């Protein structure tokens, strides 16, 4: 089988690769944590909500750093084997990823701000924007959950595209998003 592996000029930088995989790990950890914590009661609920918020704020900061890096460091061109549809779909999915990766934690933070509970980042109190308002809490909470479902769909599309291109086009896209052997940032 002849599989096309990306060369250094077609790969992301090591910093972009780091942001990609750390974001993926955090997101894949926050989803089950979010589902687990909603049905808890008492002190456990408070602990897991606090952990979810702290991790969410951490990833939000990471995402902002990732966006800054991407603006300053143009990503590599897509493989020549991609047709116009795949190029446009790739750009659309990436834009949607970034949009929802920003919107989701903002909605979560705003939901928390209107819950009546202060938001803390690993014990450090964060500025409190809201007041106790169940209606606003509910609206922002629903936006937060909706963003989560959209992100799950985007992850499925993203991984599905990697598998599709590997199986049907013999293009190893993972090599674009895996670390360089040298210290190329």
């Amino acid at each position: 089988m002849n599989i096309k592996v990306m060369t250094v000029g077609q790969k992301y930088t090591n910093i972009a690769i780091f942001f990609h995989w750390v974001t993926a790990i955090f997101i894949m950890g926050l989803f089950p944590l979010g589902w687990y914590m909603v049905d808890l009661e008492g002190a456990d609920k408070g602990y897991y909500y606090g952990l979810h918020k702290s991790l969410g704020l951490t990833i939000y900061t990471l995402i902002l750093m990732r966006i800054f890096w991407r603006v300053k460091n143009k990503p590599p061109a897509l493989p020549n084997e991609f047709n116009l549809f795949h190029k446009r779909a790739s750009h659309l999915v990436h834009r949607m990823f970034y949009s929802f990766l920003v919107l989701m934690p903002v909605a979560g933070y705003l939901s928390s701000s209107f819950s009546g509970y202060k938001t803390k980042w690993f014990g450090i109190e964060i500025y409190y924007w809201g007041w106790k308002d169940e209606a606003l809490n509910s609206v922002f909470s629903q936006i937060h959950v909706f963003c989560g479902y959209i992100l799950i769909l985007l992850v499925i599309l993203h991984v599905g595209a990697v598998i599709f291109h590997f199986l049907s086009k013999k293009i190893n896209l993972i090599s674009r998003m895996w670390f360089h052997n040298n210290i190329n940032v």
Side-chain angles (χ1 to χ4, degrees):
M1 181 185 323
N2 188 14
I3 297 174
K4 180 176 178 166
V5 177
M6 302 296 123
T7 61
V8 173
Q10 299 169 304
K11 293 178 68 150
Y12 284 86
T13 65
N14 279 337
I15 292 173
I17 292 166
F18 170 80
F19 283 140
H20 174 271
W21 290 110
V22 172
T23 301
I25 290 166
F26 264 96
I27 292 294
M28 292 303 108
L30 280 170
F31 281 123
L33 178 60
W35 281 310
Y36 173 73
M37 70 186 196
V38 294
D39 293 327
L40 294 175
E41 298 293 331
D44 281 346
K45 185 172 190 164
Y47 170 79
Y48 285 107
Y49 266 79
L51 179 62
H52 185 82
K53 291 174 188 182
S54 293
L55 294 172
L57 288 168
T58 301
I59 195 160
Y60 179 68
T61 303
L62 181 71
I63 290 163
L64 294 179
M65 291 167 46
R66 182 178 177 176
I67 291 170
F68 177 78
W69 181 260
R70 186 175 175 113
V71 167
K72 295 290 187 186
N73 298 273
K74 186 179 175 188
L78 291 168
N80 292 332
E81 295 84 0
F82 274 38
N83 63 32
L84 184 60
F85 170 78
H86 290 130
K87 288 179 181 180
R88 286 184 177 168
S90 175
H91 289 297
L92 176 64
V93 167
H94 280 90
R95 283 188 185 111
M96 289 178 69
F97 257 126
Y98 283 106
S99 297
F100 284 96
L101 285 170
V102 169
L103 182 59
M104 185 176 190
V106 169
Y109 172 75
L110 290 172
S111 172
S112 179
S113 291
F114 293 106
S115 70
Y117 297 99
K118 303 228 183 230
T119 300
K120 294 180 181 178
W121 179 72
F122 296 108
I124 301 168
E125 199 167 292
I126 304 298
Y127 185 77
Y128 192 65
W129 286 90
W131 53 91
K132 186 169 176 73
D133 186 318
E134 285 301 319
L136 287 173
N137 178 10
S138 178
V139 166
F140 289 117
S141 181
Q142 289 174 23
I143 292 169
H144 184 70
V145 169
F146 174 77
C147 290
Y149 287 124
I150 296 298
L151 281 170
I152 289 170
L153 289 174
L154 291 172
V155 167
I156 292 167
L157 276 171
H158 187 61
V159 172
V162 171
I163 293 168
F164 167 80
H165 283 93
F166 183 77
L167 294 177
S168 70
K169 307 284 186 184
K170 307 296 186 247
I171 302 171
N172 181 3
L173 293 173
I174 299 246
S175 65
R176 284 171 52 91
M177 193 47 78
W178 198 249
F179 296 96
H180 301 256
N181 292 333
N182 56 10
I183 307 297
N184 176 8
V185 293

